Short mmCIF file of all heavy atoms in Angstrom, two decimals:
data_model
loop_
_atom_site.label_atom_id
_atom_site.label_comp_id
_atom_site.label_asym_id
_atom_site.label_seq_id
_atom_site.Cartn_x
_atom_site.Cartn_y
_atom_site.Cartn_z
N ALA A 23 -8.55 -5.57 6.94
CA ALA A 23 -9.02 -4.71 5.85
C ALA A 23 -9.17 -5.61 4.58
O ALA A 23 -8.42 -6.62 4.50
CB ALA A 23 -8.13 -3.59 5.64
N SER A 25 -8.13 -4.84 1.91
CA SER A 25 -6.85 -4.73 1.03
C SER A 25 -6.04 -5.99 1.11
O SER A 25 -5.24 -6.25 0.18
CB SER A 25 -5.97 -3.59 1.56
OG SER A 25 -6.67 -2.58 2.12
N ALA A 26 -6.21 -6.97 2.11
CA ALA A 26 -5.41 -8.13 2.12
C ALA A 26 -5.53 -8.88 0.85
O ALA A 26 -4.58 -9.39 0.35
CB ALA A 26 -5.93 -8.92 3.26
N CYS A 49 3.37 2.21 5.18
CA CYS A 49 1.96 2.67 5.27
C CYS A 49 1.12 1.46 5.56
O CYS A 49 0.16 1.12 4.80
CB CYS A 49 1.50 3.32 4.02
SG CYS A 49 2.62 4.74 3.56
N ALA A 50 1.28 0.87 6.70
CA ALA A 50 0.78 -0.42 6.99
C ALA A 50 -0.51 -0.51 7.75
O ALA A 50 -1.22 -1.60 7.66
CB ALA A 50 1.74 -1.28 7.71
N ALA A 51 -0.97 0.57 8.38
CA ALA A 51 -2.16 0.48 9.23
C ALA A 51 -3.48 0.45 8.37
O ALA A 51 -3.51 0.98 7.30
CB ALA A 51 -2.29 1.73 10.16
N PRO A 52 -4.56 -0.28 8.84
CA PRO A 52 -4.66 -0.99 10.15
C PRO A 52 -3.88 -2.31 10.16
O PRO A 52 -3.73 -2.93 11.24
CB PRO A 52 -6.10 -1.21 10.24
CG PRO A 52 -6.59 -1.28 8.78
CD PRO A 52 -5.79 -0.31 8.07
N GLY A 53 -3.31 -2.80 9.09
CA GLY A 53 -2.43 -3.99 9.15
C GLY A 53 -2.78 -5.14 8.37
O GLY A 53 -2.20 -6.24 8.68
N SER A 54 -3.67 -5.11 7.39
CA SER A 54 -4.06 -6.32 6.80
C SER A 54 -2.89 -6.91 5.84
O SER A 54 -2.81 -8.08 5.74
CB SER A 54 -5.33 -6.19 5.90
OG SER A 54 -5.12 -5.55 4.69
N TRP A 55 -2.09 -6.05 5.24
CA TRP A 55 -0.94 -6.52 4.50
C TRP A 55 0.09 -7.07 5.45
O TRP A 55 0.71 -8.10 5.10
CB TRP A 55 -0.28 -5.41 3.65
CG TRP A 55 -1.03 -5.07 2.41
CD1 TRP A 55 -2.35 -5.25 2.15
CD2 TRP A 55 -0.51 -4.46 1.22
NE1 TRP A 55 -2.64 -4.88 0.88
CE2 TRP A 55 -1.52 -4.41 0.24
CE3 TRP A 55 0.79 -4.06 0.82
CZ2 TRP A 55 -1.36 -3.85 -1.02
CZ3 TRP A 55 0.91 -3.54 -0.48
CH2 TRP A 55 -0.14 -3.46 -1.33
N ILE A 84 5.52 0.14 8.96
CA ILE A 84 5.56 1.57 9.36
C ILE A 84 4.20 2.25 8.97
O ILE A 84 3.68 2.08 7.91
CB ILE A 84 6.72 2.31 8.56
CG1 ILE A 84 8.01 1.57 8.97
CG2 ILE A 84 6.75 3.75 8.89
CD1 ILE A 84 8.92 1.54 7.82
N ASP A 85 3.78 3.11 9.81
CA ASP A 85 2.62 3.89 9.47
C ASP A 85 2.61 5.16 10.37
O ASP A 85 3.21 5.16 11.52
CB ASP A 85 1.25 3.26 9.66
CG ASP A 85 0.12 3.82 8.84
OD1 ASP A 85 -0.34 4.89 9.18
OD2 ASP A 85 -0.17 3.33 7.80
N LEU A 86 2.00 6.20 9.83
CA LEU A 86 1.76 7.45 10.76
C LEU A 86 0.92 7.02 12.00
O LEU A 86 1.06 7.56 12.98
CB LEU A 86 1.01 8.48 9.89
CG LEU A 86 1.70 9.15 8.77
CD1 LEU A 86 0.67 9.96 8.06
CD2 LEU A 86 2.76 10.07 9.40
N GLN A 87 0.09 6.06 11.74
CA GLN A 87 -0.95 5.67 12.76
C GLN A 87 -0.49 4.56 13.62
O GLN A 87 0.22 3.65 13.01
CB GLN A 87 -2.31 5.32 12.15
CG GLN A 87 -2.94 6.31 11.19
CD GLN A 87 -3.05 7.68 11.77
OE1 GLN A 87 -3.39 7.78 12.97
NE2 GLN A 87 -2.93 8.67 10.93
N GLY A 100 5.67 6.19 12.24
CA GLY A 100 6.48 7.25 11.69
C GLY A 100 5.95 7.64 10.26
O GLY A 100 5.14 6.98 9.73
N ASP A 101 6.66 8.72 9.76
CA ASP A 101 6.26 9.24 8.40
C ASP A 101 7.26 8.74 7.45
O ASP A 101 8.43 8.91 7.69
CB ASP A 101 6.32 10.80 8.61
CG ASP A 101 5.94 11.55 7.33
OD1 ASP A 101 5.81 10.88 6.26
OD2 ASP A 101 5.73 12.71 7.42
N ILE A 102 6.83 8.11 6.38
CA ILE A 102 7.76 7.60 5.44
C ILE A 102 8.47 8.67 4.61
O ILE A 102 9.48 8.42 3.96
CB ILE A 102 7.20 6.54 4.47
CG1 ILE A 102 6.14 7.11 3.51
CG2 ILE A 102 6.62 5.41 5.25
CD1 ILE A 102 5.93 6.23 2.28
N THR A 103 8.00 9.93 4.71
CA THR A 103 8.70 10.98 3.97
C THR A 103 9.79 11.52 4.81
O THR A 103 10.53 12.50 4.32
CB THR A 103 7.70 12.09 3.54
OG1 THR A 103 7.25 12.68 4.77
CG2 THR A 103 6.56 11.54 2.74
N ASP A 126 1.36 0.47 0.53
CA ASP A 126 -0.09 0.57 0.19
C ASP A 126 -0.49 1.97 0.57
O ASP A 126 -1.63 2.21 0.92
CB ASP A 126 -0.85 -0.49 0.89
CG ASP A 126 -2.31 -0.51 0.44
OD1 ASP A 126 -2.63 -0.17 -0.73
OD2 ASP A 126 -3.13 -0.93 1.22
N GLY A 127 0.47 2.90 0.69
CA GLY A 127 0.19 4.26 1.20
C GLY A 127 -0.81 5.02 0.34
O GLY A 127 -0.83 4.91 -0.91
N ALA A 128 -1.63 5.75 1.03
CA ALA A 128 -2.66 6.59 0.36
C ALA A 128 -2.82 7.82 1.17
O ALA A 128 -3.10 7.71 2.44
CB ALA A 128 -3.89 5.92 0.11
N PRO A 129 -2.73 9.06 0.60
CA PRO A 129 -3.14 10.19 1.43
C PRO A 129 -4.64 10.29 1.49
O PRO A 129 -5.33 9.54 0.80
CB PRO A 129 -2.61 11.38 0.56
CG PRO A 129 -2.53 10.83 -0.87
CD PRO A 129 -2.40 9.29 -0.75
N LEU A 145 4.28 10.16 -2.42
CA LEU A 145 4.29 9.07 -1.41
C LEU A 145 5.16 7.95 -1.95
O LEU A 145 5.99 7.36 -1.39
CB LEU A 145 2.96 8.63 -1.16
CG LEU A 145 2.62 8.18 0.35
CD1 LEU A 145 3.09 9.20 1.40
CD2 LEU A 145 1.14 7.96 0.57
N LYS A 166 1.19 0.99 -4.31
CA LYS A 166 -0.06 1.47 -4.88
C LYS A 166 0.10 2.69 -5.64
O LYS A 166 0.98 3.55 -5.28
CB LYS A 166 -1.07 1.81 -3.71
CG LYS A 166 -2.30 2.43 -4.18
CD LYS A 166 -3.55 2.17 -3.40
CE LYS A 166 -3.53 2.75 -1.97
NZ LYS A 166 -4.59 2.10 -1.17
N1 LIG B 1 -2.06 -1.74 3.68
C1 LIG B 1 -2.89 -1.31 4.82
C2 LIG B 1 -3.68 -2.58 5.27
O1 LIG B 1 -3.69 -3.49 4.50
O2 LIG B 1 -4.28 -2.53 6.33
C3 LIG B 1 -3.83 -0.18 4.49
C4 LIG B 1 -3.10 1.03 4.17
S1 LIG B 1 -4.21 2.41 4.11
C5 LIG B 1 -4.98 2.31 2.57
C6 LIG B 1 -3.10 3.82 3.83
C7 LIG B 1 -2.22 4.13 5.02
O3 LIG B 1 -1.14 5.05 4.58
C8 LIG B 1 -2.92 4.90 6.14
O4 LIG B 1 -2.88 4.00 7.28
C9 LIG B 1 -2.06 6.15 6.38
O5 LIG B 1 -1.92 6.44 7.75
C10 LIG B 1 -0.82 5.77 5.66
N2 LIG B 1 0.06 6.91 5.30
C11 LIG B 1 -0.33 7.90 4.52
N3 LIG B 1 0.71 8.81 4.43
C12 LIG B 1 1.76 8.31 5.17
C13 LIG B 1 3.08 8.74 5.46
N4 LIG B 1 3.55 9.84 4.98
N5 LIG B 1 3.86 7.93 6.23
C14 LIG B 1 3.35 6.76 6.78
N6 LIG B 1 2.07 6.36 6.62
C15 LIG B 1 1.32 7.04 5.74
#
Side-chain angles (χ1 to χ4, degrees):
S25 326
C49 303
S54 76
W55 279 26
I84 300 146
D85 202 285
L86 288 170
Q87 310 300 327
D101 182 346
I102 67 159
T103 63
D126 189 26
L145 217 48
K166 170 149 70 197

